């Protein structure tokens, strides 16, 4: 088709990122080709043809979307694809955009979709104008009845329920798993260490996965080990401007948690024993393999959250108490502790990697603005470990009087009454839904608008059927007619759904199944020749 269709390789994380990005590019190519003269690229293609130069879609998208993440490209393209599919069914012209057609779409289609869909669709229209130079989408964005309808539908959204911060007892469970106090394998200990890094480093899942140059800064004083695990993140979600995108975001986590032993030392040793490589372009928590080894691809937020809940349940947590947990709650945990303890707001902003624009020069020239806030965080963690401060109790019982600093309390078996309180720190709206994405809403629209996209592989020789993983959406190929085993040697189970038809868009594709399909195709071609 075009240069986007190269054979995908998943030997490295960067190769997987490139494959996902090309899959997003193909969606935008189909959108632009619907009416190319409505976009700025139309005149650019015309000018290239006039001087007899070849226009490359891949190079165009790489430049235009240079500062846009792949997740943003997908989230902005999907509402437009659904709009174009609806226009085909109604026999309307979708692009160029008409305010009348867009408004009818909002009233006839968006009212039956998720309450947030209308606002997402309007945001996609604005994206088309500001990024791709659409000539007709701006009039729809400026329409008072279109934006008013989107706002009215958004009001039907349920009240914001953020991921709850983890209770202290569950943080202790994760530390005990990481320290090897439970009968769990090396993979579970590494997973718990990664979750603890998100908790104590106040890190989002995507930022923690991208942590590079991770190392220990440890000092021993009077036989006691103290210190931090430090890392640098290049492209974080708080990097809005071009200047911030070119600066590293330092992340620091205390190695000592609410247990007696240092969780970070055990975590780093477990990663060394497992042979997990750390550095730029390598995920901090790769996908675990059935063989006990690790792939080069990062584990996504949805699967990390599910695995964390499973480990907590095995460690003794009540299932009902942990169903509300997710990776975003890990970032909110220590920030919630600090808020309840009365930590100054400027300290919490620094520890949460937020800054006010009028004080941005302090962040640039201060060099180590996190030093004083970290000392405050250390004190709060120490008070929780000594049970001088119990953030899961009600406000009247959080700070327990009559306790001597530095003295350990006897084991308290009294039942605790946690307070149902949401996290005090919220991030961008999109990140709060990353652990519960809507996988199937846009499937039909993508199939109809994008058409067939194989990612460079030939699937014509395979007719045994396909299945898709419910959570990570990976497509697998069956090895035989029984449909009990995949070509990658994995077994069919309740985590997969059998696809009735061959997928139009082969993304994301299991790399082992894809490789064996390619081998089978070459054999068929060889016999035919």
């Amino acid at each position: 088709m075009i240069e986007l269709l190269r054979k995908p390789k998943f030997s490295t994380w960067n190769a997987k990122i490139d494959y996902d990005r090309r899959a997003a590019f193909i969606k935008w190519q189909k959108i632009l080709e619907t009416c190319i003269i409505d976009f700025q690229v139309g005149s650019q293609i015309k000018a290239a043809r006039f001087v007899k130069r070849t226009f490359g879609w891949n190079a165009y998208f790489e430049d235009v979307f240079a500062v846009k993440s792949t997740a943003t490209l997908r989230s902005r393209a999907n509402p437009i694809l659904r709009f174009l599919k609806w226009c085909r069914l109604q026999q309307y012209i979708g692009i160029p955009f008409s305010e009348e057609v867009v408004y009818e779409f909002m009233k006839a289609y968006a009212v039956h979709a998720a309450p947030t869909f209308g606002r997402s669709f309007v945001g996609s229209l604005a994206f088309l104008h500001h990024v791709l130079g659409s000539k007709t989408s701006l009039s729809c964005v400026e329409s008072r009845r279109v934006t008013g309808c989107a706002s009215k539908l958004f009001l039907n959204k349920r009240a914001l329920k953020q991921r709850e911060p983890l209770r202290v007892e569950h943080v202790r469970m994760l530390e005990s798993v990481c320290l090897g106090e439970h009968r769990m394998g090396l993979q579970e200990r590494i997973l718990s260490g990664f979750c603890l890094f998100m908790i104590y480093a106040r890190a989002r899942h995507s930022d923690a996965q991208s942590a590079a140059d991770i190392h220990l800064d440890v000092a021993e004083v009077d036989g006691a080990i103290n210190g931090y695990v430090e890392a640098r993140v290049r492209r974080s979600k708080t990097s809005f401007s071009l200047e911030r995108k070119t600066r590293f975001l330092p992340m620091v986590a205390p190695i000592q948690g609410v247990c007696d032993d240092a969780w970070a030392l055990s975590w780093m040793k477990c990663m060394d024993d497992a042979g997990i490589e750390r550095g730029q372009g390598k995920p901090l928590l790769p996908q675990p393999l059935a063989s006990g080894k690790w792939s080069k691809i990062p584990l996504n937020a949805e699967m990390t959250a599910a695995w964390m809940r499973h480990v907590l349940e095995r460690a003794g947590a009540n299932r009902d108490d942990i169903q509300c947990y997710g990776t975003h709650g890990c970032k909110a945990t220590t920030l919630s502790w600090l808020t309840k303890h009365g930590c100054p707001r400027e300290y919490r902003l620094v520890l949460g990697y937020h800054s006010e624009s009028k004080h941005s020069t302090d962040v640039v020239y201060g060099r180590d603005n996190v030093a004083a806030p970290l000392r405050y965080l250390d004190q709060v963690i120490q008070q929780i470990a000594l049970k001088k401060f119990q953030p899961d109790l009600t406000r009247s019982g959080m700070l327990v009087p009559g306790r001597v600093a530095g003295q350990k309390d006897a084991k308290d078996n009294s039942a605790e009454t946690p307070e149902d309180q949401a996290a005090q720190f919220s991030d961008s709206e999109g990140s709060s839904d990353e652990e519960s994405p809507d996988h199937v809403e846009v499937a039909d629209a993508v199939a109809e608008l994008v058409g067939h996209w194989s990612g460079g592989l030939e699937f014509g020789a395979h007719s045994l059927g396909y299945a898709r993983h419910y959570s990570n959406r990976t497509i697998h190929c069956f090895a035989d007619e029984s449909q009990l085993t995949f070509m990658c040697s994995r077994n069919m189970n309740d985590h997969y759904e059998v696809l009735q038809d061959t997928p139009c868009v082969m993304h994301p594709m299991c790399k082992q199944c894809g490789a064996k399909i390619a081998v089978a195709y070459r054999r068929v071609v060889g016999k035919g020749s």
Side-chain angles (χ1 to χ4, degrees):
M1 185 180 294
I2 54 176
E3 63 266 33
L4 296 176
L5 304 185
R6 296 190 297 269
K7 180 178 179 179
K9 298 180 180 179
F10 303 98
S11 56
T12 64
W13 188 10
N14 288 333
K16 176 66 164 57
I17 293 174
D18 179 68
Y19 171 61
D20 292 338
R21 201 163 182 81
R22 287 187 288 114
F25 286 174
I26 198 68
K27 293 182 179 180
W28 282 107
Q29 181 191 345
K30 294 299 181 181
I31 292 174
L32 296 183
E33 287 179 344
T34 304
C35 182
I36 203 165
I37 60 173
D38 186 60
F39 301 95
Q40 189 182 72
V41 68
S43 60
Q44 294 167 348
I45 292 178
K46 185 177 180 180
R49 289 175 179 173
F50 181 76
V51 295
K52 298 181 179 180
R53 287 194 298 109
T54 303
F55 181 84
W57 279 107
N58 198 37
Y60 172 79
F61 286 130
E62 286 179 351
D63 292 335
V64 172
F65 296 145
V67 297
K68 302 297 181 182
S69 69
T70 303
T72 298
L73 298 182
R74 287 198 300 263
S75 64
R76 293 303 184 192
N78 290 338
I80 302 300
L81 291 172
R82 293 167 69 175
F83 168 72
L84 293 177
K85 179 191 174 185
W86 178 84
C87 289
R88 283 189 179 182
L89 293 176
Q90 304 298 323
Q91 296 183 346
Y92 290 158
I93 296 176
I95 305 177
F97 294 99
S98 166
E99 191 271 348
E100 181 67 30
V101 174
V102 169
Y103 181 67
E104 184 177 345
F105 171 74
M106 296 288 290
K107 301 295 289 185
Y109 181 90
V111 293
H112 302 294
T116 57
F117 173 75
R119 199 166 77 162
S120 298
F121 175 62
V122 174
S124 297
L125 292 175
F127 183 89
L128 286 172
H129 170 73
H130 293 290
V131 179
L132 295 169
S134 173
K135 301 174 184 176
T136 57
S137 62
L138 182 61
S139 61
C140 302
V141 177
E142 293 178 342
S143 170
R144 297 302 182 186
R145 62 175 181 174
V146 170
T147 56
C149 181
S151 300
K152 183 179 69 173
L153 294 175
F154 187 81
L155 292 176
N156 295 325
K157 179 178 179 291
R158 62 175 175 81
L160 177 63
K161 185 174 177 60
Q162 297 168 303
R163 289 291 185 179
E164 292 190 13
L166 274 66
R167 299 179 187 175
V168 174
E169 60 177 316
H170 296 147
V171 176
R172 281 198 177 95
M173 288 181 182
L174 288 175
E175 290 191 29
S176 62
V177 171
C178 184
L179 293 168
E181 298 176 6
H182 291 269
R183 293 183 178 180
M184 296 192 194
L186 190 63
Q187 291 184 341
E188 285 75 13
R189 295 179 63 183
I190 292 173
L191 176 277
S192 61
F194 178 81
C195 295
L196 290 168
F197 178 73
M198 288 193 292
I199 291 172
Y200 289 117
R202 297 89 51 209
R204 300 177 181 87
H205 183 272
S206 58
D207 293 343
Q209 284 284 30
S210 303
D213 300 331
I214 185 168
H215 62 278
L216 292 170
D217 177 18
V218 179
E220 185 174 351
V221 180
D222 298 331
I225 297 178
N226 192 15
Y228 302 94
V229 53
E230 301 183 1
R232 297 193 301 173
V233 177
R234 179 65 180 270
R235 294 286 293 270
S236 66
K237 289 193 69 174
T238 54
S239 300
F240 297 111
S241 65
L242 283 175
E243 289 76 13
R244 286 194 176 188
K245 290 180 185 295
T246 58
R247 292 204 303 259
F248 282 106
L249 173 68
M251 286 191 170
V252 186
I255 65 171
Q256 192 77 32
V258 295
C259 291
D260 294 335
D261 297 324
W263 64 271
L265 300 181
S266 177
W267 176 47
M268 298 291 279
K269 184 179 184 303
C270 288
M271 286 196 291
D272 291 337
D273 294 341
I276 296 179
E277 298 180 9
R278 301 185 290 274
Q280 194 69 37
K282 297 180 175 61
L284 196 57
L285 180 66
Q287 292 181 3
L289 302 177
S291 61
K293 297 182 180 180
W294 302 82
S295 69
K296 303 292 185 180
I297 311 302
L299 193 67
N300 62 31
E302 185 180 5
M303 297 302 295
T304 301
W307 195 7
M308 179 184 69
R309 293 191 293 267
H310 176 70
V311 168
L312 284 173
E313 186 175 356
R314 289 184 58 188
N318 185 287
R319 176 179 293 185
D320 295 334
D321 293 339
I322 61 177
Q323 287 305 308
C324 57
Y325 289 165
T327 59
H328 210 66
C330 293
K331 175 182 172 64
T333 298
T334 51
L335 295 176
S336 174
W337 294 350
L338 292 169
T339 303
K340 294 175 181 178
H341 191 272
C343 176
R345 182 172 181 268
E346 58 269 21
Y347 279 10
R348 288 183 278 126
L349 284 173
V350 172
L351 291 173
Y353 311 109
H354 300 278
S355 65
E356 296 174 324
S357 58
K358 62 181 180 180
H359 298 144
S360 60
T361 54
D362 294 341
V363 178
V364 175
Y365 296 106
R367 291 298 187 269
D368 199 3
N369 296 277
V370 77
L374 273 177
R375 286 194 292 271
Y376 195 105
L377 176 61
D378 287 337
Q379 295 174 6
V380 172
I381 294 175
Q382 184 180 16
Q383 290 184 14
I384 293 175
L386 299 174
K387 294 188 178 179
K388 284 189 61 182
F389 173 53
Q390 302 184 51
D392 295 331
L393 298 183
T394 58
R395 294 185 181 90
S396 60
M398 287 182 185
L399 293 171
V400 182
R403 309 221 177 188
V404 182
Q407 178 181 354
K408 288 220 169 186
D409 294 338
K411 185 176 181 181
D412 186 10
N413 293 323
S414 61
E416 296 183 352
T417 308
E419 180 185 20
D420 295 331
Q421 184 177 16
Q424 300 297 319
F425 276 75
S426 63
D427 296 283
S428 59
E429 181 182 348
S431 62
S432 61
D433 297 329
E434 62 183 356
E435 293 144 18
S436 54
D438 192 353
H439 294 299
V440 297
E441 280 293 325
V442 300
D444 293 339
V446 171
E448 183 170 338
L449 272 299
V450 175
H452 292 278
W453 188 79
S454 63
L457 294 175
E458 295 290 344
F459 292 89
H462 185 75
S463 59
L464 300 174
Y466 302 87
R468 188 189 291 273
H469 196 280
Y470 280 110
S471 298
N472 58 34
R473 311 303 294 168
T474 302
I475 300 172
H476 294 266
C477 308
F478 285 111
D480 51 43
E481 290 83 356
S482 65
Q483 296 190 343
L484 299 176
T485 307
F486 301 127
M487 298 190 73
C488 59
S489 299
R490 294 181 176 89
N491 295 324
M492 175 67 183
N493 54 46
D494 294 337
H495 296 292
Y496 300 90
E497 59 173 334
V498 178
L499 302 180
Q500 301 300 322
D501 301 315
T502 301
C504 289
V505 179
M506 290 293 183
H507 176 266
M509 185 68 199
C510 171
K511 63 176 182 179
Q512 292 92 350
C513 290
K516 293 188 177 181
I517 286 289
V519 172
Y521 177 76
R522 286 195 295 268
R523 289 175 180 172
V524 172
V525 172
K527 291 180 180 179
S529 59

